[in-house]
Amino acid sequence: DIQMTQSPSSLSASVGDRVTITCRASQGIYDYLAWFQQKPGKAPKSLIHAASSLDSGVPSRFSGSGYGTDFTLTITSLQPEDFATYYCQQYNSYPLTFGGGTKVEIK
Amino acid sequence: EVKLVESGGGLVQPGGSLRLSCAASGFTFSDRFMDWVRQAPGRGLEWVARARNKANTYTTEYAASVKGRFTISRDDSKNSLYLQMNSLKTEDTAVYFCARAAHHTGNYFFDYWGQGTLVTVSS
């Protein structure tokens, strides 16, 4: 199985800050990497697929990069509605696996 | 508008069975791969199972933790996805999400999610 490791597991930031979350795969996954946002008690929302392609309706302050084993999600100018937990997920091979999540909290 | 609505969750005793349903609308259900993903209370996301479409002969994939106990199926005439869960264990307690998959150069990523249905396995 491919292990997905996210860091940090949590962070505190202020509105307007630039935030970067990293995700590392235990083996190469090309660009088969997705990012999701989840708020408490809600379903995940798809943000990015193919490592850097924004899903429909996702604000341009979100961006993704990376290839192979190392990936990043960046939020430029953090907004109040961005405080949530973020997950990466590989879809290169089965079983599909998620990172452990990064909780973005208000400083 | 894409909508995925799960139902069928509830309280069940260890060793029992439950069948979840996901009603889809707003897209051509028969064209899509569909998945179940779960989330135990306070924990992260765990992929459970995938059902491919007719063009891919309705084949399925399962996580090791549920293989042999859970069965994913679909009824394209009803735009519905199902998860039959047998021999339930306390560790199967989770919110179960239905998710639609979209194609990306030979592989498939989740692009829409339902709101989830809670399954509690407890005596």
Side-chain angles (χ1 to χ4, degrees):
Chain A
D1 297 6
I2 297 175
Q3 309 303 317
M4 305 300 293
T5 304
Q6 282 183 241
S7 60
S9 57
S10 66
L11 64 90
S12 295
S14 301
V15 173
D17 283 354
R18 178 187 180 95
V19 168
T20 298
I21 299 168
T22 65
C23 178
R24 175 164 287 176
S26 60
Q27 58 187 271
I29 59 170
Y30 305 97
D31 64 346
Y32 295 120
L33 190 283
W35 289 97
F36 305 96
Q37 176 195 68
Q38 189 179 33
K39 297 180 180 179
K42 300 295 187 182
K45 175 186 174 183
S46 299
L47 295 177
I48 287 170
H49 67 277
S52 60
S53 295
L54 253 57
D55 287 316
S56 176
V58 176
S60 58
R61 63 181 179 272
F62 290 91
S63 64
S65 64
Y67 188 89
T69 59
D70 294 306
F71 301 87
T72 60
L73 172 70
T74 299
I75 312 171
T76 58
S77 189
L78 197 67
Q79 296 302 298
E81 60 268 30
D82 300 336
F83 292 95
T85 299
Y86 294 85
Y87 294 93
C88 63
Q89 180 243 332
Q90 67 81 19
Y91 55 98
N92 178 70
S93 63
Y94 297 101
L96 309 180
T97 48
F98 291 86
T102 297
K103 187 173 185 179
V104 177
E105 299 177 298
I106 302 172
K107 182 182 283 185
Chain B
E1 179 194 7
V2 172
K3 288 187 75 174
L4 300 169
V5 180
E6 301 92 336
S7 61
L11 175 64
V12 61
Q13 291 187 336
S17 299
L18 210 57
R19 188 195 196 206
L20 306 183
S21 299
C22 171
S25 60
F27 64 99
T28 305
F29 179 79
S30 59
D31 286 348
R32 297 296 190 135
F33 289 17
M34 296 295 298
D35 293 70
W36 289 99
V37 177
R38 68 184 180 183
Q39 187 170 37
R43 304 296 298 272
L45 299 166
E46 179 188 19
W47 171 75
V48 173
R50 165 163 287 172
R52 296 184 179 88
N53 57 13
K54 183 178 181 180
N56 287 273
T57 63
Y58 294 125
T59 51
T60 58
E61 302 284 348
Y62 294 94
S65 58
V66 306
K67 196 168 187 177
R69 299 188 299 123
F70 289 13
T71 301
I72 189 172
S73 62
R74 60 192 295 161
D75 185 337
D76 290 349
S77 69
K78 295 183 178 179
N79 290 339
S80 292
L81 179 73
Y82 306 101
L83 186 68
Q84 177 66 44
M85 304 186 294
N86 298 331
S87 303
L88 281 161
K89 306 176 181 180
T90 55
E91 52 263 41
D92 295 319
T93 294
V95 174
Y96 285 72
F97 297 102
C98 169
R100 188 182 83 165
H103 179 255
H104 161 223
T105 60
N107 288 345
Y108 292 79
F109 63 96
F110 308 128
D111 64 347
Y112 282 94
W113 299 69
Q115 287 305 301
T117 187
L118 175 63
V119 173
T120 303
V121 184
S122 174
S123 55

